[in-house]
């Protein structure tokens, strides 16, 4: 038991932060904007720490079941964290564009940030890195379809028909995900895997593999998500107050939410790229993007139908251009089964452009 507590000390610290934050919530919200902003940033740090532990146990589960199931567990864990934070923030009357901006930011971060940086670093170290191009094509066409249906077409839907189209969107995303899931774990699972016959992990003398307790990892993962939800409840209020009137672009909050959920994925993807395992990077980056759109949209749309308050899901012209640029570059780069540093740099430049546009409030 003592060993377990030591292993989960960061998650316990996050729990302690939640226990302390709730009684102090009133004080933090009525002690001035600087204190509220500081409290919000501190709580974000604890949320990231907790999400790291969630991702660690997701990785243990992933190692237990292997690819493609493993990367599916990793991406689902990240999306679960994102949905929990978004649902709590939206219940606190956040911006009506928060869901749209978070999904957009997550796709930019996953494809251009994670995939771009991983391909750049891996390419500089290993040159060309191989992967299964069937997976890249499958992911890309589904991301394009899902984002087009849920975040481009709504611009042309009359306000009086939003409930009907929202219900249609939920159904479309569920059908897409059901088919994707069947492909990923069913007869087409080879689309999302790649054999590395010469890239076996080097065994370190006296190295003991970390024991995997299935029940413990699942329980800790669920517990971590609950702690994250509790922290997000207070964080959303303090951060909103702290940023109020500062002139910070509204999309900053969305970027923070996307970054919180993607933080563990970034480390996992970079480790995979440096180990010359680009298939894991493709599965994580594109799989996380697809899961973010295809799972977050129906959950949040259902929430909108339940409350009777629609979200602004249609992307702005700038966001639409950036998404299409990203997916076109991705389709060209990920079409030959090999990545290199140049391809990674093209995505990373698009990511830098996304950050610049966000800072400009576009």
């Amino acid at each position: 038991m003592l060993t377990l507590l030591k292993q989960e000390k960061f998650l316990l610290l996050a729990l302690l932060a939640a226990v302390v934050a709730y009684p102090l919530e009133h004080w933090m919200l009525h002690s001035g904007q600087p204190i509220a902003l500081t409290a919000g940033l501190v709580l974000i740090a604890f949320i990231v720490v907790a999400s790291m532990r969630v991702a660690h146990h997701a990785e243990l589960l992933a190692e237990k079941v292997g690819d493609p199931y493993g990367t599916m567990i990793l991406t689902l864990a990240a999306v679960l964290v994102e949905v929990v934070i978004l649902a709590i923030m939206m219940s606190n009357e956040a911006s009506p564009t928060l869901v749209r901006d978070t999904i957009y930011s997550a796709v930019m971060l996953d494809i251009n940030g994670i995939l771009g940086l991983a391909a750049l670093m891996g390419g500089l170290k290993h040159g060309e890195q191989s992967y299964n191009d069937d997976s890249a094509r499958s992911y890309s066409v589904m991301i394009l379809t899902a984002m087009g249906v849920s975040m481009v077409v709504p611009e042309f839907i009359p306000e009086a028909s939003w409930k009907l189209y929202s219900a249609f969107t939920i159904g479309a995303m569920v059908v897409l995900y059901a088919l994707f899931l069947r492909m990923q774990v069913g007869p087409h699972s080879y689309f999302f895997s790649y054999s590395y016959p010469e890239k076996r992990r080097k065994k370190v003398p006296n190295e003991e593999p970390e024991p995997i307790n299935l029940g413990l990892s699942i329980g800790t993962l669920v517990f971590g998500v609950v702690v994250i939800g509790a922290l997000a409840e207070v964080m959303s209020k303090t951060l909103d107050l702290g940023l109020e009137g500062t002139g910070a672009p509204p999309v900053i909050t969305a970027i923070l939410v996307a970054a919180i959920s993607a933080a563990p994925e970034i480390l996992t993807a970079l480790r995979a790229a440096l180990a010359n395992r680009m298939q894991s990077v493709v599965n994580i980056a594109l799989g996380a993007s697809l899961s973010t759109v295809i799972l977050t949209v129906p959950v949040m749309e259902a929430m909108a139908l339940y409350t009777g308050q629609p979200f602004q899901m249609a992307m702005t012209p700038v966001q639409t251009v950036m998404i299409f640029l990203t997916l076109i570059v991705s389709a060209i780069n990920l079409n030959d089964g090999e990545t290199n540093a140049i391809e990674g740099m093209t995505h990373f430049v698009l990511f830098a452009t996304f950050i610049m546009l966000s800072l400009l409030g576009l």
Side-chain angles (χ1 to χ4, degrees):
M1 177 60 72
L2 186 59
T3 302
L4 176 62
L5 292 177
K6 285 182 179 179
Q7 288 176 341
E8 302 303 332
K9 58 182 179 292
F10 292 116
L11 190 54
L12 292 175
L13 283 175
L15 175 62
L16 179 62
V19 171
V20 172
Y22 271 87
L24 295 179
E25 180 180 341
H26 181 80
W27 174 80
M28 290 186 291
L29 294 174
H30 294 85
S31 297
Q33 199 169 11
I35 288 180
L37 181 58
T38 302
L41 295 176
V42 169
L43 290 173
I44 286 175
F46 280 111
I47 289 174
V48 170
V49 167
S51 70
M52 291 287 189
R53 294 310 299 168
V54 168
H56 172 72
H57 286 282
E59 280 191 76
L60 292 180
L61 293 173
E63 185 179 333
K64 182 82 171 178
V65 300
D67 274 334
Y69 305 94
T71 47
M72 182 182 69
I73 292 173
L74 288 172
T75 56
L76 287 178
V79 171
L80 180 60
V81 169
E82 185 174 87
V83 168
V84 167
I85 295 174
L86 272 178
I88 290 173
M89 294 184 74
M90 292 306 298
S91 68
N92 291 328
E93 299 182 0
S95 164
T97 62
L98 178 62
V99 175
R100 177 199 72 188
D101 291 343
T102 300
I103 294 174
Y104 164 69
S105 299
V107 173
M108 289 289 106
L109 182 58
D110 289 331
I111 298 181
N112 292 328
I114 295 178
L115 180 60
L117 185 59
L120 175 60
M121 293 178 63
L124 290 175
K125 182 176 180 180
H126 299 288
E128 294 182 331
Q129 295 183 281
S130 300
Y131 62 92
N132 186 343
D133 55 349
D134 284 332
S135 60
R137 285 194 292 267
S138 299
Y139 280 127
S140 297
V141 73
M142 293 191 75
I143 293 170
L144 179 60
T145 301
M147 294 203 76
V149 168
S150 63
M151 301 181 69
V152 176
V153 174
E155 177 67 29
F156 308 100
I157 302 300
E159 187 175 346
S161 304
W162 79 267
K163 288 187 177 181
L164 181 61
Y165 190 77
S166 183
F168 165 78
T169 302
I170 293 172
M173 295 302 105
V174 170
V175 169
L176 269 176
Y177 188 68
L179 177 61
F180 169 71
L181 200 60
R182 185 177 185 279
M183 286 183 62
Q184 193 174 28
V185 301
H188 293 86
S189 61
Y190 63 89
F191 276 19
F192 307 94
S193 60
Y194 188 84
S195 177
Y196 295 93
E198 300 177 2
K199 300 297 179 184
R200 303 296 183 187
R201 182 182 172 187
K202 293 181 180 178
K203 292 185 178 180
V204 179
N206 301 322
E207 181 188 36
E208 292 292 333
E210 184 172 352
I212 300 173
N213 185 320
L214 198 62
L216 178 63
S217 290
I218 293 174
T220 307
L221 192 152
V222 172
F223 175 71
V225 171
V226 172
V227 171
I228 289 169
L231 288 168
E233 173 71 28
V234 182
M235 180 273 290
S236 65
K237 298 176 183 177
T238 54
L239 192 63
D240 284 345
L241 179 61
L243 293 175
E244 189 176 322
T246 61
V251 75
I252 291 298
T253 303
I255 293 175
L256 286 173
V257 175
I260 288 170
S261 63
E265 293 174 338
I266 296 172
L267 298 177
T268 305
L270 290 181
R271 284 198 296 265
L274 293 175
N276 202 13
R277 302 187 70 84
M278 185 50 62
Q279 184 62 52
S280 294
V281 177
V282 171
N283 284 352
I284 289 171
L286 297 185
S289 296
L290 178 60
S291 298
T292 295
V293 181
I294 218 167
L295 294 179
T296 305
V297 167
V299 171
M300 302 312 294
E301 290 281 12
M303 184 176 171
L305 287 174
Y306 177 76
T307 60
Q309 296 296 322
F311 304 141
Q312 177 63 38
M313 290 301 296
M315 292 186 292
T316 66
V318 171
Q319 290 174 338
T320 302
V321 168
M322 285 299 295
I323 284 293
F324 278 112
L325 264 178
T326 295
L327 293 177
I328 289 171
V329 171
S330 176
I332 295 172
N333 285 343
L334 300 178
N335 193 46
D336 59 355
E338 291 182 332
T339 63
N340 56 56
I342 294 176
E343 294 175 353
M345 180 56 77
T346 58
H347 279 292
F348 200 67
V349 167
L350 284 175
F351 178 69
T353 305
F354 155 69
I355 295 297
M356 174 56 70
L357 291 173
S358 298
L359 293 176
L360 294 175
L362 299 174

